[in-house]
């Protein structure tokens, strides 16, 4: 396993650009919050937050300038979050359907 | 474990006699000393958790609640579970044997982050102190699972103190996992490629992945209970718009994989024991290595099997049931490969091997009854009965604890520089095996007959099986006290151990017993695979067949 001593981080300019974009995206979040997009309200907020988070991870946390191995581990964290959300929603999103099935069962015969 | 106990003039300078005094232990960054500190702390927790088990089994000897009240009984099984799971089983093998052995097996001088390693012991101990505070100040009665809404709304015991203890000790677990992963990636000796690693290392690598990916979710769940309890924020309470079942999702997302945090390291130990005492290379090395990773990953897709009757949707139940069946496959792969390793091996029934063979049988029973429970319809019948209790004790005690004791005996000469008395070792291993089965096999029958867990008053017809179980528990308890006594005795009076008493092939056996502070005088170069046993078919056991290590 060779250690790679390439540039560990970005220039001050890059940091300032990223900082600026994070501020701009925060402004966007505020703007979006004051307008009604119907069912897109939450997805929009989540997408903006996701972009901001990705920028922080890639630049401020230096993942972009690290080895593939670090990428894999960083990605694994998000993949596992998706497992948690995905399978939890496999319960919540099918609760009603399940209830319908239970009601379909004929009533217990009574004497 | 104190310095005095081992100070009787060791022949060479080693990690134990390198320095004396309390500070040289409390401020040490030596992975071997930290492993020993864990051993001492965890042994205390083990006997405390065991004391609660004694009280439980005493109470259950009669069908009436004549020893303790219902509230007290609830506290007894809660404290037993919390202490045994979070303060003994989860850290046991990684924190003691893993800490001690991982750098030795990798040919490294220490773990990648020695100070972080020391921090984990302090976090573990601080977490333990919070839990002990909860014990002495009146206990906690939620069950080790802390289910809401009882834990968040109704329980009036020390939920917060206990939960905080578990929360803090979780960080110890996360940081240990991080340390092991970085060490395995970055500090392998020259020539030690991934597929030359001992299976013990593979198992710990897989365990570490679970610790890092799962434990934060437990911390989240516990934190949310605390927030709801203290500030009335609606997360689990339906009155405040929450959902109690959400807690079960979060809790089991960690706590099912946590079972693999307990069992994967023990599988690593078993691979080492079986190959050494069958004097054969492990059959299907890469299958065992990969099945560890498969268990670590698949183990995250099955947590809903704890919630079949909790109001989880039927469709989620079906999916989780199927996936739970799937995770049995890699475990079975391991069991078959170990059995194949024994085939035509030149088997030696030393104490560690007796533990390993015990593990094989008990883990198989525990695993197969897990399949009963993963089956949706059967689970409706045996859910929350003693069948479940028996099942997970076969995995955790019959599996993880047997392997821990086997590994402790196997590496005891390396850790302490002393041999334990072999005859007593064999006797107590057999006593533990018999006592264990007498304790927990009747519980399968009790559960199948319908005795629910967590009750201390039960119908008269269940008494015979309960008395059998309590009798077995007393034998089991005796079985644990004997090794405790002779291992301590051996520190001063045991025969001095040679560097490789078992003529095993691991890199750790090329160091003196006990090893020097920095393990290796010079970095070893590895030129062969693990389990390099030359005498395959029962040739006479003479000479050494240590893995070749060139000194550069
Ligand atoms: Cu489970």
């Amino acid at each position: 396993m060779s250690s790679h001593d390439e540039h560990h981080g970005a220039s001050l300019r890059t940091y300032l650009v990223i900082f600026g974009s994070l501020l701009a995206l925060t402004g966007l979040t505020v703007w979006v919050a004051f307008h009604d997009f119907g069912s897109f309200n939450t997805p929009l907020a989540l997408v903006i937050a996701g972009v901001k988070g990705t920028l922080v991870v890639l630049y401020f946390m230096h993942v972009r300038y690290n080895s593939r191995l670090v990428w894999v581990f960083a990605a694994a964290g998000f993949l596992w979050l998706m497992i948690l959300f995905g399978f939890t929603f496999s319960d919540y999103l099918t609760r009603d359907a399940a209830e319908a099935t239970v009601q379909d069962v004929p009533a217990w015969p009574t004497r | 474990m104190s310095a005095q106990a081992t100070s009787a003039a060791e022949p060479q300078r080693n990690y134990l006699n390198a320095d004396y005094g309390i500070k040289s232990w409390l401020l040490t960054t030596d992975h071997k000393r930290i492993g020993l500190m864990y051993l001492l702390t965890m042994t205390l927790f083990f006997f405390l958790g065991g004391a609660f088990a004694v009280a439980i089994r005493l109470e259950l000897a009669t069908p009436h609640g004549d020893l303790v009240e219902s509230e007290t009984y609830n506290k007894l099984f809660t404290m037993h579970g919390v202490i045994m799971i979070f303060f003994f089983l989860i850290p046991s093998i990684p924190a003691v044997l893993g800490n001690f052995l991982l750098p030795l097996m990798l040919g490294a001088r220490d773990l990648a982050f020695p100070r972080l390693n020391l921090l984990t012991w302090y976090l573990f101990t601080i977490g333990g102190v919070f839990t002990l505070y909860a014990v002495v100040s009146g206990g906690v009665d939620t069950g080790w699972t802390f289910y809401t809404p009882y834990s968040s709304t109704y329980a009036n015991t020390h939920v917060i103190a206990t939960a905080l203890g578990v929360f803090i000790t979780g960080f110890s677990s996360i940081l240990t996992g991080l340390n092991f992963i970085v060490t395995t990636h970055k500090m392998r000796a020259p020539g030690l490629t991934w597929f030359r690693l001992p299976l013990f290392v593979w198992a710990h690598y897989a365990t570490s992945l679970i610790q890092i990916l799962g434990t934060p979710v437990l911390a989240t769940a516990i934190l949310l209970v605390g927030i709801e309890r203290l500030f009335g924020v609606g997360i689990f309470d339906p009155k405040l718009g929450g959902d109690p079942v959400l807690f079960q999702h979060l809790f089991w997302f960690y706590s099912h994989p946590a079972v693999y945090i307990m069992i994967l390291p023990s599988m690593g130990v078993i691979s080492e024991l079986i190959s050494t005492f069958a004097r054969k290379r492990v059959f299907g090395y890469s299958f065992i290595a990969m099945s560890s990773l498969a268990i670590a990953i698949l183990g995250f897709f099955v947590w809903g099997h704890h919630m079949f009757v909790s109001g989880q949707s039927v469709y989620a139940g079906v999916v989780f049931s199927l996936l739970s069946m799937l995770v049995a496959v890699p475990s079975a792969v391991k069991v078959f490969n170990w059995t194949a390793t024994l085939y035509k091996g030149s088997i030696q029934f030393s104490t560690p091997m007796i533990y390993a063979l015990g593990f094989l049988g008990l883990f198989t029973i525990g695993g197969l009854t897990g399949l009963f429970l993963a089956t949706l319809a059967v689970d409706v019948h045996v859910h929350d009965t003693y069948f479940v209790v028996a099942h997970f004790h076969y995995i955790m005690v019959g599996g993880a604890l047997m392997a821990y004791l086997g590994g402790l005996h196997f590496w005891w000469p390396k850790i302490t520089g002393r041999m334990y008395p072999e005859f007593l070792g064999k006797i107590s291993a057999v006593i533990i095996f018999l006592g264990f089965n007498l304790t927990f096999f009747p519980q399968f029958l009790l559960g199948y007959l319908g005795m629910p867990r967590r009750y201390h008053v039960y119908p008269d017809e269940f008494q015979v099986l309960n008395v059998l179980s309590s009798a077995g528990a007393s034998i089991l308890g005796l079985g644990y006290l004997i090794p405790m006594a002779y291992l301590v005795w051996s520190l001063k009076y045991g025969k001095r151990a040679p560097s490789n008493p078992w003529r095993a092939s691991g890199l750790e056996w090329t160091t003196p017993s006990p090893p020097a502070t920095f393990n290796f005088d010079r970095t070893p170069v590895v030129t062969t695979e693990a389990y390099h046993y030359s005498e395959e078919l029962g040739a006479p056991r003479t000479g050494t067949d240590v893995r070749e290590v060139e000194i550069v």
Side-chain angles (χ1 to χ4, degrees):
Chain A
M1 305 285 114
S2 62
S3 65
H4 46 95
D5 297 307
E6 301 132 40
H7 45 292
H8 259 290
S11 62
L12 184 63
R13 213 187 101 82
T14 317
Y15 282 136
L16 288 174
V17 169
I18 299 298
F19 181 59
S21 350
L22 286 173
L23 285 182
L25 285 166
T26 308
L28 187 63
T29 310
V30 174
W31 184 81
V32 165
F34 282 102
H35 293 75
D36 190 14
F37 297 92
S39 56
F40 284 98
N41 278 333
T42 310
L44 262 178
L46 281 176
V47 165
I48 300 171
V51 171
K52 284 163 74 180
T54 312
L55 286 177
V56 171
V57 168
L58 285 182
Y59 292 93
F60 289 169
M61 294 172 81
H62 294 206
V63 167
R64 201 187 144 187
Y65 308 103
N66 263 297
S67 63
R68 291 282 165 81
L69 185 64
V70 175
W71 289 30
V72 170
F73 273 85
F78 290 96
L79 188 65
W80 254 250
L81 191 67
M82 288 303 116
I83 298 173
L84 173 65
F85 280 28
F87 277 77
T88 302
F89 277 108
S90 83
D91 169 19
Y92 285 103
L93 299 180
T94 56
R95 286 253 178 108
D96 297 339
E99 266 166 36
T101 321
V102 173
Q103 281 159 7
D104 289 344
V105 176
W108 191 253
T110 46
R111 266 178 289 166
Chain B
M1 173 221 70
S2 72
Q4 286 84 353
T6 48
S7 62
E10 249 104 31
Q12 87 285 353
R13 205 166 162 73
N14 59 52
Y15 83 101
L16 289 170
N17 64 17
D19 201 351
Y20 297 99
I22 190 79
K23 257 171 103 181
S24 76
W25 285 90
L26 290 181
L27 298 178
T28 186
T29 50
D30 182 347
H31 65 102
K32 300 183 288 301
R33 286 191 163 210
I34 296 171
L36 275 187
M37 299 204 306
Y38 265 115
L39 175 64
L40 183 72
T41 339
M42 265 172 5
T43 307
L44 292 177
F45 279 113
F46 175 72
F47 280 99
L48 182 63
F52 287 113
V54 168
I56 291 171
R57 281 321 319 170
L58 272 179
E59 167 59 52
L60 290 175
T62 66
H64 320 289
D66 33 22
L67 187 67
V68 294
E69 292 169 18
S70 306
E71 286 80 6
T72 316
Y73 186 78
N74 292 347
K75 289 175 184 170
L76 288 178
F77 69 69
T78 302
M79 298 315 301
H80 169 69
V82 168
I83 288 175
M84 285 304 203
I85 287 177
F86 295 114
F87 295 96
F88 179 72
L89 282 164
I90 286 181
S92 62
I93 294 179
V96 177
L97 298 176
N99 243 328
F100 193 95
L101 292 165
L102 202 73
L104 285 167
M105 287 183 168
L106 296 176
R109 288 159 68 93
D110 206 316
L111 286 171
F113 307 116
R115 285 203 195 126
L116 196 69
N117 194 21
L118 181 63
L119 176 67
T120 68
W121 181 78
Y122 279 100
L123 288 173
F124 174 75
T125 310
I126 294 169
V129 167
F130 271 97
T131 307
L132 288 180
Y133 162 77
V135 174
V136 296
S137 63
V140 61
D141 67 345
T142 57
W144 77 276
T145 45
F146 300 111
Y147 268 16
T148 56
Y150 185 66
S151 64
S152 53
T153 309
Y154 301 106
N156 49 15
T157 50
H158 293 79
V159 180
I160 297 285
T162 318
L164 199 59
V166 173
F167 182 83
I168 293 171
T169 207
F171 284 92
S172 154
S173 189
I174 294 173
L175 295 177
T176 299
L178 178 74
N179 219 339
F180 283 6
I181 286 180
V182 176
T183 308
T184 310
H185 273 285
K186 293 292 179 189
M187 297 182 65
R188 281 172 284 124
L192 189 53
T193 55
W194 281 89
F195 284 93
R196 284 178 179 174
L197 287 174
L199 290 165
F200 182 92
V201 176
W202 274 106
H204 275 74
Y205 185 83
T207 308
S208 304
L209 290 177
I210 304 177
Q211 286 176 308
I212 290 189
L213 293 167
T215 319
V217 179
L218 175 76
T220 309
I222 289 177
L223 200 63
L224 291 175
V225 169
I227 288 174
E228 179 166 303
R229 224 180 133 85
L230 291 174
F231 307 112
V233 179
I235 297 154
F236 305 119
D237 186 353
K239 260 191 305 202
L240 303 168
D243 176 24
V245 176
L246 177 64
F247 176 82
Q248 297 185 24
H249 279 296
L250 296 173
F251 181 81
W252 289 114
F253 180 84
Y254 165 77
S255 293
H256 181 81
V259 176
Y260 298 120
I261 298 181
M262 305 172 207
I263 205 71
L264 272 172
S266 54
M267 291 167 156
V269 169
I270 296 304
S271 297
E272 305 297 317
L273 300 188
I274 285 188
S275 75
T276 301
F277 293 103
R279 310 215 61 75
K280 272 181 71 183
R281 69 185 292 267
V282 168
F283 185 87
Y285 170 95
S286 50
F287 278 89
I288 294 189
M290 287 303 126
S291 65
S292 288
L293 291 184
I295 288 174
I297 294 167
L298 278 177
F300 277 98
F301 292 86
V302 302
W303 79 80
H305 61 215
H306 296 270
M307 302 163 60
F308 288 159
V309 298
S310 298
Q312 175 183 248
S313 91
V314 173
Y315 295 119
V318 170
V319 172
F320 280 124
S321 173
L322 278 171
L323 289 167
S324 302
M325 304 277 174
L326 211 62
V327 83
V329 174
S331 300
V333 165
K334 282 179 193 283
V335 170
F336 285 125
N337 279 304
W338 288 323
T339 314
T341 307
L342 291 173
Y343 179 67
K344 288 196 173 174
S346 152
I347 294 172
Q348 192 184 336
F349 291 99
S350 304
T351 309
M353 187 59 158
I354 297 178
Y355 280 111
L357 294 174
F359 173 98
L360 269 188
L362 300 181
F363 174 74
T364 304
I365 294 177
L368 289 178
T369 50
L371 288 178
F372 293 31
L373 293 166
T375 311
L376 264 174
V378 179
D379 185 69
V380 173
H381 176 57
V382 288
H383 184 90
D384 266 351
T385 68
Y386 264 87
F387 193 89
V388 179
V389 176
H391 155 70
F392 70 69
H393 280 90
Y394 265 78
I395 298 285
M396 293 176 185
V397 184
L401 189 55
M402 292 287 279
Y404 173 71
L405 288 174
L408 198 60
H409 282 83
F410 183 60
W411 283 291
W412 191 254
K414 186 54 62 189
I415 295 172
T416 64
R418 303 284 182 156
M419 300 300 290
Y420 60 85
E422 182 64 35
F423 178 72
L424 276 175
K426 283 181 189 170
I427 295 278
S428 56
V430 171
I431 290 179
I432 288 176
F433 180 80
L434 295 177
F436 173 83
N437 280 297
L438 186 56
T439 311
F440 292 105
F441 197 81
Q443 298 186 5
F444 277 127
L445 307 177
L446 279 171
Y448 192 75
L449 293 172
M451 175 158 166
R453 63 192 288 202
R454 296 180 170 178
Y455 282 78
H456 73 315
V457 177
Y458 56 83
D460 289 342
E461 62 259 38
F462 292 149
Q463 189 175 11
V464 174
L465 289 168
N466 268 301
V467 167
L468 283 178
S469 179
S470 293
S474 62
I475 298 174
L476 186 59
L478 178 74
Y480 292 140
L481 288 175
I482 303 174
M484 176 73 192
Y486 68 67
L487 288 179
V488 172
W489 172 89
S490 76
L491 291 177
K492 199 163 172 67
Y493 304 104
K495 256 195 343 200
R496 282 196 191 285
S499 61
N500 189 1
W502 315 115
R503 292 176 303 110
S505 71
L507 211 47
E508 74 272 26
W509 300 107
T510 63
T511 64
S513 300
T517 300
F518 290 108
N519 299 346
F520 300 93
D521 291 342
R522 277 171 254 176
T523 307
V525 174
V526 179
T527 56
T528 58
E529 58 171 17
Y531 317 113
H532 181 249
Y533 291 101
S534 51
E535 35 178 359
E536 288 242 342
L537 298 173
R541 292 195 200 91
T542 52
T544 55
D545 44 7
V546 177
R547 179 180 358 185
E548 289 168 43
V549 174
E550 292 169 7
I551 301 295
V552 284

